[in-house]
Amino acid sequence: MTRMLSRSILFFNSIRFFHPSWFVMVMATGIVSIAFDTLGFEAIAKALLVLNLLLYPVFCSLFAARIVFFTRDLIAELRVLSRSWLFLAFVAGTNTVGVQLILFTQENSLASVLWYAAFFAWLIFISFIIFNTLILPRSSAVNSICGTTLLLTVSTVSIVLLGSQLLDVTDENTWRFLVLWGIWILGCVLYLFTIHLIIRHLFFNHFALKNWQPSYWICMGALAIITLAGSELLAHLPRSLYDALGRATSDISFFAWAWGTLWIAYLLIMDIRKLTCGLDSTAAWIKIFPWTRLACKGQYRAYDIEAWGRVFPAGMYTACTFSLAGISGYHLLESMAFYWCWFALLIWLLTLIGTFSSLVDDR
């Protein structure tokens, strides 16, 4: 009887306190799958696809149950600016699954349904974020900005990423392409608006190492998804618009990729510093590859749900680099993508082990 009661309470709490950050796991798994598919590793890509097709319905069911049974709690959380960013992970996760369905199963109809669901959710969450920003004092709104805030860009551009996959290269789709291109530019503007505040926070405000979070990897990941979406837009660019938009789309995509590449060294250094800080000499094996701590228990444990915010940018950089190589003809980029993809997969695996260990410990 006691065991049944404890299980009921656990199930009840899993719905009431379901965290939208879990959809970052879907985002990360999906983009690593897509990256390995573009590189020709079908077995790995399809295994990750299967996992994502299991995870996504479970998370959606928990999210839907929370909406139905705990509406007040959900709205209260949406009205907190620092929490409202996180709900955009649902949008990006849904679009990522949609891209997987098109690439692996050619389920364009189901992918279209997911696109409309993601777009509708994006409108709702963006409305809450705008409302929260307007009612807060400017200083409070600025202070709440962090790496997670860049989900504004990621979710917005993810709409373009899936939408471009649903386009046919025909002149009849010109207006649809222009809408997607406009949303892509909006994502770029949102990035510029947010990143200058994050840069000021990281480099000019005496940033403390203890405040470093994996979500700051989205500083690179947001640029990577801008690059990937730009490459897809170029691949589906109607001939009638090539002269007007082709060069601009290409230049923005290359600039975003180059800027994202510059972020990588800083992100790696900060991760290494954070993961090795305070360790004694007996932890030399962790100092060799600090991200091993993601799969550890006890005193070396470094996993929390935000760790998935590191995996998505790593996978996205692989996918965007390979895609950019295809449209540019710079085959050296393909070699970069090949080597980086194994780092992304290893980080994904360590984070997955940490996730399961955390769930077992919580029980």
Side-chain angles (χ1 to χ4, degrees), residues 264-279:
I264 291 177
Y266 173 76
L267 298 172
L268 291 173
I269 291 171
M270 292 299 290
D271 250 18
I272 291 170
R273 290 181 61 197
K274 179 64 180 287
L275 292 171
T276 57
C277 182
L279 297 181

Side-chain angles (χ1 to χ4, degrees), residues 157-182:
V157 179
S158 73
I159 293 170
V160 180
L161 191 60
L162 177 55
S164 62
Q165 293 284 342
L166 295 168
L167 282 177
D168 293 323
V169 188
T170 62
D171 289 337
E172 287 76 10
N173 284 323
T174 298
W175 70 271
R176 296 180 185 176
F177 182 90
L178 288 173
V179 170
L180 291 175
W181 196 85

